[in-house]
């Protein structure tokens, strides 16, 4: 024997795979989406937006996203413009001056005798609402406006050229009837009890 030791054959170490399951992935929030439409056009509404737990989505036992997936805010906080008065509930006829809580258009015919008391007659709408643009004319229709003749054929005091007028684009579509209310329409009586010329059955309708 020569007395010389031989080196060991083969690798000094060996490896094997372990814990081969994927590592947990914790969830992450996406960016928020767009705000929703405001629930009101004025005086304060709400809108919301949302996000999803997909950036990344939780996987392999990872934690879900923490927190809320939606948020909201107040929107359109500006004061609402006044609305037009509703027909007929927001309008009123008065034969005794301007009633409390109303803004009015004066209705007068100068040819009427003083004893018929047309000087204190008014057609009115509730305060705080948009001006409906009512105009009274004792000399025919007002050019460029939407007018209706308030004639009482039995009254000899020149009612044939008296008109209630509105802006041309007004949503109201007035009709006058001197023989009672018009079926199917909302009507308001124009009554002057001191005038004997059949003013008990005159109505402005819409």
């Amino acid at each position: 024997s020569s007395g010389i030791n031989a080196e060991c054959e083969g690798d000094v170490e060996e490896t094997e795979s372990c814990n081969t399951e994927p590592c947990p992935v914790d969830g992450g929030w996406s960016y928020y989406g767009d705000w929703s439409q405001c629930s009101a056009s004025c005086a304060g509404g709400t809108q919301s937006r949302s996000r999803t737990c997909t950036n990344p989505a939780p996987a392999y036992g990872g934690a879900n996203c923490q927190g809320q997936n939606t948020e909201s805010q107040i929107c359109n906080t500006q004061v609402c413009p006044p609305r037009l008065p509703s027909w007929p509930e927001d309008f009123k006829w008065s034969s005794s001056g301007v009633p409390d809580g109303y803004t009015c258009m004066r209705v007068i015919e100068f040819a009427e005798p003083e004893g018929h008391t047309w000087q204190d007659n008014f057609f009115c709408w509730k305060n705080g609402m948009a001006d409906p643009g009512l105009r009274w004319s004792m000399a025919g229709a007002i050019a460029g406006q939407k007018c209706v003749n308030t004639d009482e054929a039995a009254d000899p005091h020149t009612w044939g050229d008296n008109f209630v007028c509105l802006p041309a684009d007004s949503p109201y579509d007035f009709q006058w009837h001197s023989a009672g209310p018009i079926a199917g329409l909302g009507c308001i009586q124009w009554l002057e009890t001191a005038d004997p010329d059949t003013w008990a059955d005159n109505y402005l309708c819409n």
Side-chain angles (χ1 to χ4, degrees):
S1 168
S2 63
I4 299 174
N5 293 328
E7 292 184 359
C8 296
E9 296 182 358
D11 295 330
V12 178
E13 60 182 27
E14 66 177 357
T15 61
E16 68 175 0
S17 297
C18 59
N19 294 335
T20 56
E21 65 275 9
C23 293
V25 177
D26 292 340
W29 288 115
S30 68
Y31 291 109
Y32 277 104
D34 294 335
W35 287 105
S36 65
Q37 184 174 350
C38 191
S39 62
S41 59
C42 56
T46 58
Q47 60 185 170
S48 62
R49 62 180 183 175
S50 60
R51 59 183 179 173
T52 57
C53 189
T54 56
N55 187 33
Y60 312 119
N64 285 321
C65 297
Q66 300 298 306
Q68 301 298 316
N69 67 338
T70 62
E71 65 176 1
S72 60
Q73 66 178 11
I74 296 173
C75 49
N76 292 342
T77 57
Q78 71 276 12
V79 175
C80 292
R83 66 170 179 85
L84 282 170
S86 297
W87 184 274
E89 57 268 23
D90 293 332
F91 289 87
K92 182 183 185 70
W93 169 261
S94 173
S95 59
S96 55
V98 176
D100 290 340
Y102 285 82
T103 302
C104 300
M105 170 192 74
R106 191 178 189 188
V107 177
I108 191 168
E109 172 49 68
F110 290 141
E112 285 282 355
E114 185 175 346
H116 291 183
T117 68
W118 276 94
Q119 61 271 18
D120 60 355
N121 286 3
F122 292 86
F123 190 58
C124 311
W125 56 94
K126 289 180 179 178
N127 286 344
M129 296 187 166
D131 184 352
L134 283 166
R135 299 294 180 267
W136 175 252
S137 172
M138 293 185 296
I142 300 173
Q145 297 212 336
K146 185 164 57 173
C147 300
V148 60
N149 183 208
T150 59
D151 188 23
E152 171 48 72
D155 192 323
H157 302 107
T158 69
W159 280 87
D161 60 354
N162 289 358
F163 286 81
V164 175
C165 297
L166 292 160
D169 61 352
S170 172
Y172 306 110
D173 187 20
F174 287 162
Q175 297 183 49
W176 177 257
H177 200 231
S178 58
I182 300 173
L185 298 181
C187 297
I188 297 175
Q189 186 179 21
W190 283 29
L191 176 64
E192 175 46 73
T193 56
D195 191 330
D197 297 317
T198 69
W199 274 93
D201 56 357
N202 289 358
Y203 288 82
L204 185 66
C205 303
N206 179 64

